[in-house]
Amino acid sequence: MSIQLPIRPETGGTKSEGFCTPKEDKRPQRFVVPPKKVIPIVFLPGIMGSNLRMSQPRQWTLKKKNNIAWRPDRKGEALDLMSVTPAYRQLALDPDATEVDTYDNGRSPTGTRKETSDDRHAIGRLDVDLPFTPNSPLLTDDPATVIPRRSKRDKAKRRGWQEILYSSYRILLEQCESKLNAPDIDDAWKDIATQSPRNWQATDTPVIPPLSMSDIKDALSSAWFPVHAMGYNWLESNAISATKIAARINALIAEYSSNGFHCEKVIVVTHSMGGLVARALVHPEIGGAMEKIQGIVHGVMPSRGAPAAYRRMRCGFEEGLVGWAPAPKVLGNFGPEVTAVLGNSQGGLQLLPSAAYGNSWLEIRQGNNLIRRLPTYGNPYNEIYKLRTEWYRLIREEWLNPAKIQGVSISRTFRYLGLAQRFHEMIADFFHPNTYAHYGSDVDRNSWETIGWNVGEGQLYLGWENLAITEDNQQGKFKVQTAQDKRSIKISLGPSVGAGDQTVPLRSSDHQRQSGKVKGIFRQSGYEHQDSYKDEAALRSTLYSLVKIIQTMRWNDVS
């Protein structure tokens, strides 16, 4: 018997191993040739899940020793962000001065002569580890006889694994790579084959059947499934990110094709905001990549936005973890720190609740009395986001431009909000026809389904919306002053309420089920938003969904 194994899937190179049988052995011998077909799996992370670097002028302005803008897996950089001013944050996380910190085959600029791209992605800084047992045939060390020899770690970097938040996503990347390309499918898929999708909290509508082991083998024997990660600048509009990802996917398909593989389409897996990017990616008026995408798996997508985005811009981030670092101090412990970044970020503003989220998610109460609910007329952009004087407005103008960057203004942010509205309208009910989704529906993880402002004792006069803010702790407690008698009234943020994953409420995620356009839905519990892909149910439902999508692949004729 002889078997042919890939040496470099990225170049189509192979090696052949075999042995001779005795002359007396007349049995037919087999020569096993691996498939030449490739369906890349492309992962799109969530907001703050892509590493960013800044332009050289901005690096000089900030007097940084390197050009890292955002790389939370690198502890020193995260620690530095814990104590910086809002002005520094605005300069460091400026969409006009940042880009994805790609590996670029070891040649990407790092902003210092003392550090190469390999250094930045090196061991000790949460480097790609890849403890596969067994190794994926596509992501394994080259034999010693191959020159130049590439390790599986080098290959993973070239696939983008370290341009994203690796501490959150490594398990997903490794499981997809090892299981989809497993030499022993029976062993790799024994926990998924024949299992009811209800074990991972699949809904009854639509009904999705179990996968038999033969289903899995038939699907996975047709091609290789190399796993790639593609970061994007989450500060930019998701529409811009979609067009850039579309170009990268086209280039990826062309690269595999030029290296002797038959590659027609990719499958996309997303996390959080990455789902919005993916929906824009396949929209004919934005990314236009529908014909290149066989299907999409969405994880914890804020399908209609999340009120938590409003809360964080007014009050800072709540307690939680991103990678290893305490979120409030790294991402913004106070409203001014978050507003200085997200108030100037089209991507951040596109996470706000859309009109489709519905009315009455912003509540104002005094004691047991409900004073007002907003939006009232289905337009949160005009009723909340673009207000300039009302105390419950989204943007406190004095927090918007602490760095005094030329061109930054409240009018520009309002223009961005108009573009966010247009983006929301375009993707509102638009999904790839071959979509699967999983998301949190945990009643024990309150997720800011509504935002509640509690007004202290004291009469609210006619025109109370225009009360001036006189004091603000920038974390959800402030005072307003009446125009008539200058009395001070306390206002404070109420608690988080509503099922979800602590960030995205079920009210937003469930839009995917309600749309009737998603082939399989898993409404899950037991995980927090950022760490969803560390949860066993989320991982297994993702792998199940990938096989279901692979089953629908119909190849063009190939010799």
Side-chain angles (χ1 to χ4, degrees):
M1 183 181 73
S2 180
I3 185 169
Q4 200 173 37
L5 296 173
I7 294 176
R8 289 200 179 152
E10 70 273 20
T11 63
T14 58
K15 69 174 180 178
S16 183
E17 295 180 348
F19 58 87
C20 296
T21 59
K23 291 181 180 180
E24 295 77 13
D25 187 351
K26 305 299 183 182
R27 292 173 299 176
Q29 303 301 307
R30 292 184 299 124
F31 183 78
V32 181
V33 179
K36 294 291 286 184
K37 298 174 182 176
V38 168
I39 307 176
I41 309 299
V42 174
F43 175 67
L44 303 181
I47 187 172
M48 298 173 289
S50 303
N51 298 324
L52 304 179
R53 63 190 176 216
M54 65 184 68
S55 66
Q56 189 175 71
R58 188 56 53 86
Q59 179 190 347
W60 290 344
T61 297
L62 294 175
K63 300 179 180 179
K64 274 181 61 66
K65 61 183 179 181
N66 58 43
N67 65 355
I68 292 175
W70 178 255
R71 185 175 278 270
D73 279 332
R74 189 158 161 167
K75 293 186 178 182
E77 295 295 327
L79 287 168
D80 288 344
L81 280 175
M82 289 186 179
S83 58
V84 300
T85 64
Y88 186 101
R89 290 175 188 273
Q90 182 189 357
L91 289 167
L93 297 172
D94 179 357
D96 294 329
T98 50
E99 64 181 4
V100 179
D101 194 1
T102 54
Y103 179 65
D104 294 343
N105 291 327
R107 297 187 297 273
S108 61
T110 62
T112 173
R113 294 180 181 178
K114 296 181 179 180
E115 181 184 56
T116 66
S117 183
D118 282 312
D119 292 334
R120 179 168 290 180
H121 297 259
I123 295 173
R125 292 170 182 166
L126 219 82
D127 192 19
V128 174
D129 191 19
L130 312 183
F132 294 156
T133 306
N135 286 320
S136 160
L138 275 78
L139 204 59
T140 188
D141 296 336
D142 284 344
T145 54
V146 175
I147 300 175
R149 184 172 185 260
R150 293 179 184 171
S151 68
K152 61 182 177 181
R153 181 178 291 122
D154 294 332
K155 295 174 184 178
K157 291 175 185 177
R158 285 168 170 79
R159 292 198 198 163
W161 285 32
Q162 283 208 314
E163 63 186 62
I164 64 171
L165 184 62
Y166 192 59
S167 58
S168 283
Y169 302 129
R170 64 179 298 171
I171 296 176
L172 171 71
L173 298 176
E174 291 174 356
Q175 286 214 9
C176 286
E177 180 69 35
S178 59
K179 289 183 180 295
L180 293 174
N181 301 290
D184 185 352
I185 291 178
D186 289 285
D187 182 62
W189 288 84
K190 62 186 177 183
D191 294 330
I192 294 176
T194 72
Q195 298 296 310
S196 169
R198 287 186 180 180
N199 293 346
W200 318 306
Q201 298 169 278
T203 61
D204 292 331
T205 307
V207 176
I208 51 177
L211 287 168
S212 68
M213 188 61 79
S214 61
D215 289 334
I216 297 170
K217 289 181 177 179
D218 288 345
L220 301 188
S221 64
S222 64
W224 297 117
F225 305 93
V227 178
H228 292 254
M230 293 187 181
Y232 56 92
N233 190 342
W234 40 271
L235 298 165
E236 292 181 324
S237 169
N238 290 310
I240 294 174
S241 295
T243 60
K244 292 180 178 180
I245 293 295
R248 291 186 68 176
I249 287 174
N250 285 332
L252 180 65
I253 292 173
E255 180 181 5
Y256 275 108
S257 298
S258 67
N259 288 324
F261 287 97
H262 185 62
C263 184
E264 297 178 3
K265 298 185 178 185
V266 306
I267 299 172
V268 174
V269 179
T270 77
H271 180 255
S272 192
M273 178 197 268
L276 305 183
V277 175
R279 286 165 66 191
L281 172 67
V282 296
H283 195 286
E285 297 179 46
I286 307 176
M290 179 70 81
E291 296 304 313
K292 300 295 184 181
I293 312 297
Q294 183 63 21
I296 300 176
V297 181
H298 289 304
V300 296
M301 176 173 59
S303 192
R304 288 175 166 168
Y310 168 96
R311 180 249 191 259
R312 291 165 180 173
M313 290 180 68
R314 282 300 301 263
C315 312
F317 273 79
E318 60 271 38
E319 294 294 333
L321 296 178
V322 171
W324 67 274
K329 295 191 180 299
V330 175
L331 305 176
N333 207 19
F334 301 93
E337 297 173 342
V338 180
T339 296
V341 176
L342 298 189
N344 296 299
S345 161
Q346 290 192 61
L349 295 172
Q350 287 167 356
L351 289 179
L352 289 163
S354 66
Y357 189 83
N359 290 329
S360 304
W361 58 264
L362 183 63
E363 298 181 346
I364 302 170
R365 296 178 174 274
Q366 189 171 47
N368 294 325
N369 298 319
L370 178 62
I371 298 173
R372 193 171 184 184
R373 285 177 171 173
L374 296 165
T376 304
Y377 306 105
N379 191 328
Y381 315 94
N382 291 341
E383 295 183 66
I384 301 172
Y385 308 151
K386 293 185 180 181
L387 299 177
R388 297 197 65 170
T389 57
E390 288 77 356
W391 59 263
Y392 53 83
R393 62 192 181 273
L394 171 69
I395 303 293
R396 290 201 59 178
E397 190 170 352
E398 62 272 28
W399 295 354
L400 190 61
N401 191 19
K404 302 189 182 336
I405 298 176
Q406 186 174 4
V408 175
S409 66
I410 191 70
S411 60
R412 187 184 76 157
T413 297
F414 285 174
R415 178 165 55 85
Y416 287 171
L417 285 163
L419 294 171
Q421 181 178 3
R422 174 60 177 152
F423 178 81
H424 290 157
E425 291 169 350
M426 291 181 74
I427 70 165
D429 291 305
F430 191 85
F431 293 89
H432 190 287
N434 203 9
T435 291
Y436 290 77
H438 62 269
Y439 50 83
S441 61
D442 201 327
V443 295
D444 294 325
R445 295 184 182 273
N446 292 325
S447 304
W448 301 105
E449 178 183 318
T450 60
I451 301 292
W453 289 116
N454 297 318
V455 179
E457 295 181 1
Q459 183 179 0
L460 290 175
Y461 290 82
L462 186 66
W464 59 273
E465 299 96 329
N466 297 311
L467 300 175
I469 298 175
T470 57
E471 298 179 27
D472 194 337
N473 77 346
Q474 304 170 355
Q475 290 186 309
K477 293 183 179 181
F478 57 93
K479 294 180 181 180
V480 296
Q481 190 176 71
T482 63
Q484 288 82 351
D485 56 10
K486 307 300 182 183
R487 286 189 302 109
S488 182
I489 298 175
K490 294 180 181 179
I491 298 177
S492 61
L493 178 71
S496 176
V497 296
D501 62 16
Q502 294 176 239
T503 296
V504 177
L506 183 61
R507 174 173 167 177
S508 178
S509 301
D510 235 8
H511 167 231
Q512 297 166 91
R513 180 174 64 92
Q514 296 158 359
S515 73
K517 297 181 179 181
V518 178
K519 286 190 172 182
I521 295 286
F522 298 83
R523 297 168 91 240
Q524 299 172 329
S525 59
Y527 54 72
E528 178 270 335
H529 181 80
Q530 184 59 44
D531 285 342
S532 61
Y533 277 120
K534 296 178 181 179
D535 181 80
E536 199 64 39
L539 291 166
R540 291 184 183 180
S541 62
T542 298
L543 290 163
Y544 170 94
S545 301
L546 285 170
V547 173
K548 295 295 289 184
I549 293 171
I550 292 166
Q551 286 180 317
T552 66
M553 184 70 184
R554 300 293 178 264
W555 295 89
N556 294 324
D557 290 338
V558 57
S559 57

